[in-house]
Amino acid sequence: MRVTFHRELSSIADVLITMTGLADSAMYSATRALLTADLALADSVIAADAHIDVLHHDLEERCLRVLALHHPVAIDLRTVLASLRIVSALERMGDLARHIATIARMRYPDRAVPADLEPTFVDAGRIANALTQRVAALLADHDITTVDELTAIDDQMDELHRSVFTTLLHEDWPHGMVAAIDVVLLSRFYERYADHAVSLSRRIVEQVTGNLPDRARSSG
Amino acid sequence: MRVTFHRELSSIADVLITMTGLADSAMYSATRALLTADLALADSVIAADAHIDVLHHDLEERCLRVLALHHPVAIDLRTVLASLRIVSALERMGDLARHIATIARMRYPDRAVPADLEPTFVDAGRIANALTQRVAALLADHDITTVDELTAIDDQMDELHRSVFTTLLHEDWPHGMVAAIDVVLLSRFYERYADHAVSLSRRIVEQVTGNLPDRARSSG
């Protein structure tokens, strides 16, 4: 029974790493689809999100089954509960990548992002991927010293988010209201993706140490 | 042990109803603060959110303790897991009310919402409150036939969200970019609040029946 149990916990951990990879690659492709107005790529991100949703649902069921059958306590119980929260954050991150792909799709064959904001969204995508890759590493090695690094990267995302507003408010915005709305929502989606990555990393710390790190528990 | 266990489950259910009331009243006050540029009220919403966060944290701890001590199975296990998801949605709903209050605060002494969009945000607030009040009733009586009603009310919110974009895109928007950004974000916050209310109601159905209702599992 114990062997099966720990094998199941370890398999759940593997699925979380796989799903982090899927969220990461959804975000990578969504950003690329957005900046190059690539319709097929946008569609593939939207289609792939359904797969993340299925994995989310399956993992919830497995966690429930583990709790029902094995009655874990202490660190094992924390691990199962942390897995439930992590999978729910990953599902939302997949949704956010899908939202970005949907905006790319809506504006095709045009590009949703005006040329002068392209570098900002290149950076936003790069930061988003840097975060998910660190989350994947954290899930694999539980080296919680990287959480501060994650938080610092998230600060860069917050700064980008503010810079988008500065650009929109700078003298007159020549790109019209559709582009303004798109850019506000896109920036929010990237910022929320980053928030989820950070909150997820904090769940890992909580699971490993039994405590949350200092920084305020929720934001965004 | 069993008596204590069921008393604890029932007390957890009570806290969820209390928290739903707090989210509801945060949303009511945030909307009022937004539409009347009431700085003190906006501040009170921002301050009250910290209380919701504390309740969230405490309830998570209690659920963990219940799982560790009582090893619930079947419907009781589903109830505890549903409570964890519900409390996390309520915490987010409190955050969203706080975000609305923060925009009201940033624009004080001006009003963030231009006069011609006031009726739309009056409606958004009304719909948000209608949703949370139905969620509170659902938590209290588990009458899952009201979920369809909740979904229909959420459709009204989605329509309002679209109507905000229509207004922004209609000929020329005379209120400038700051108001445009505020209105896009505000509309998104109301829409997400409604999404959380619906997803939360679906968690209650899942808890009561062991199954999710038909409508797609996640959105927004």
Side-chain angles (χ1 to χ4, degrees):
Chain A
M1 186 94 153
R2 285 290 106 180
V3 173
T4 316
F5 169 58
H6 282 109
R7 198 176 293 154
E8 178 66 0
L9 277 194
S10 146
S11 157
I12 286 173
D14 288 345
V15 176
L16 290 177
I17 294 172
T18 302
M19 286 183 69
T20 306
L22 292 175
D24 187 58
S25 100
M27 196 47 149
Y28 180 81
S29 299
T31 303
R32 216 180 133 73
L34 178 72
L35 296 174
T36 62
D38 185 331
L39 185 64
L41 193 57
D43 282 340
S44 79
V45 172
I46 295 166
D49 187 47
H51 179 50
I52 296 183
D53 290 349
V54 168
L55 290 177
H56 170 220
H57 180 69
D58 289 351
L59 203 83
E60 284 197 337
E61 290 300 311
R62 285 175 67 178
C63 288
L64 190 140
R65 222 160 32 232
V66 163
L67 291 171
L69 293 178
H70 300 284
H71 311 301
V73 293
I75 178 76
D76 292 335
L77 175 58
R78 273 211 305 272
T79 299
V80 178
L81 294 184
S83 302
L84 280 170
R85 287 149 179 167
I86 290 166
V87 77
S88 143
L90 290 170
E91 189 266 335
R92 280 301 300 155
M93 290 162 81
D95 284 349
L96 291 162
R98 173 168 53 80
H99 291 343
I100 292 166
T102 302
I103 290 184
R105 185 178 216 304
M106 279 198 304
R107 299 301 161 232
Y108 178 84
D110 293 331
R111 296 181 189 195
V113 175
D116 44 341
L117 272 172
E118 259 182 46
T120 306
F121 284 95
V122 168
D123 282 351
R126 192 184 43 73
I127 293 173
N129 288 129
L131 287 169
T132 13
Q133 281 151 30
R134 271 165 187 79
V135 165
L138 189 53
L139 280 167
D141 64 20
H142 284 188
D143 173 9
I144 61 170
T145 62
T146 60
V147 170
D148 287 344
E149 203 185 325
L150 253 140
T151 309
I153 299 174
D154 179 46
D155 289 342
Q156 293 172 33
M157 187 69 99
D158 291 341
E159 206 166 301
L160 273 188
H161 190 48
R162 281 190 296 272
S163 82
V164 167
F165 294 155
T166 308
T167 305
L168 280 164
L169 296 173
H170 184 70
E171 306 195 7
D172 42 18
W173 167 261
H175 309 292
M177 192 54 89
V178 171
I181 297 174
D182 283 348
V183 157
V184 169
L185 290 177
L186 287 165
S187 182
R188 173 82 185 154
F189 297 150
Y190 281 96
E191 187 227 358
R192 287 298 299 152
Y193 183 98
D195 282 346
H196 280 294
V198 171
S199 102
L200 195 161
S201 73
R202 296 167 50 78
R203 289 302 187 178
I204 301 170
V205 174
E206 193 181 29
Q207 167 197 346
V208 172
T209 65
N211 288 304
L212 270 180
D214 285 341
R215 185 152 145 163
R217 294 174 49 86
S218 88
S219 65
Chain B
M1 184 92 155
R2 284 289 106 181
V3 173
T4 316
F5 168 58
H6 283 108
R7 200 177 288 153
E8 178 65 0
L9 277 194
S10 148
S11 158
I12 286 173
D14 288 346
V15 175
L16 290 177
I17 295 172
T18 302
M19 286 184 69
T20 307
L22 291 175
D24 188 56
S25 101
M27 197 43 150
Y28 181 81
S29 299
T31 303
R32 217 180 132 73
L34 178 72
L35 296 174
T36 63
D38 185 332
L39 185 64
L41 193 58
D43 282 340
S44 78
V45 172
I46 295 165
D49 186 48
H51 179 49
I52 296 183
D53 290 349
V54 168
L55 290 176
H56 170 219
H57 181 67
D58 289 351
L59 204 83
E60 284 197 337
E61 289 299 311
R62 285 175 69 177
C63 288
L64 190 139
R65 220 156 38 230
V66 163
L67 291 171
L69 293 178
H70 301 285
H71 312 301
V73 292
I75 177 77
D76 291 335
L77 175 59
R78 273 212 304 272
T79 299
V80 178
L81 294 184
S83 301
L84 281 169
R85 287 148 181 169
I86 291 167
V87 76
S88 142
L90 290 170
E91 189 266 333
R92 278 302 300 157
M93 291 163 80
D95 284 348
L96 291 162
R98 172 169 53 79
H99 291 342
I100 292 167
T102 302
I103 290 185
R105 186 177 215 306
M106 278 196 305
R107 297 303 160 233
Y108 178 84
D110 293 330
R111 298 182 187 193
V113 175
D116 45 340
L117 272 172
E118 258 182 47
T120 305
F121 284 95
V122 168
D123 282 350
R126 191 183 45 71
I127 293 172
N129 288 128
L131 287 170
T132 12
Q133 281 151 29
R134 271 168 187 78
V135 165
L138 188 55
L139 282 167
D141 64 20
H142 283 187
D143 173 9
I144 62 169
T145 61
T146 61
V147 169
D148 288 345
E149 205 185 324
L150 252 140
T151 309
I153 299 174
D154 178 47
D155 290 343
Q156 293 173 34
M157 187 70 99
D158 291 341
E159 209 165 299
L160 273 187
H161 190 50
R162 280 190 295 272
S163 83
V164 167
F165 294 154
T166 310
T167 304
L168 281 164
L169 296 173
H170 184 69
E171 305 194 8
D172 41 18
W173 166 260
H175 308 292
M177 193 54 89
V178 172
I181 296 174
D182 284 348
V183 156
V184 169
L185 290 176
L186 287 166
S187 182
R188 173 82 184 155
F189 296 152
Y190 281 96
E191 188 227 356
R192 286 298 299 152
Y193 183 97
D195 282 346
H196 280 294
V198 170
S199 101
L200 194 161
S201 74
R202 295 166 50 77
R203 288 301 187 180
I204 302 171
V205 174
E206 193 180 29
Q207 165 196 347
V208 172
T209 65
N211 287 305
L212 269 181
D214 285 341
R215 189 152 140 160
R217 293 172 48 88
S218 88
S219 64

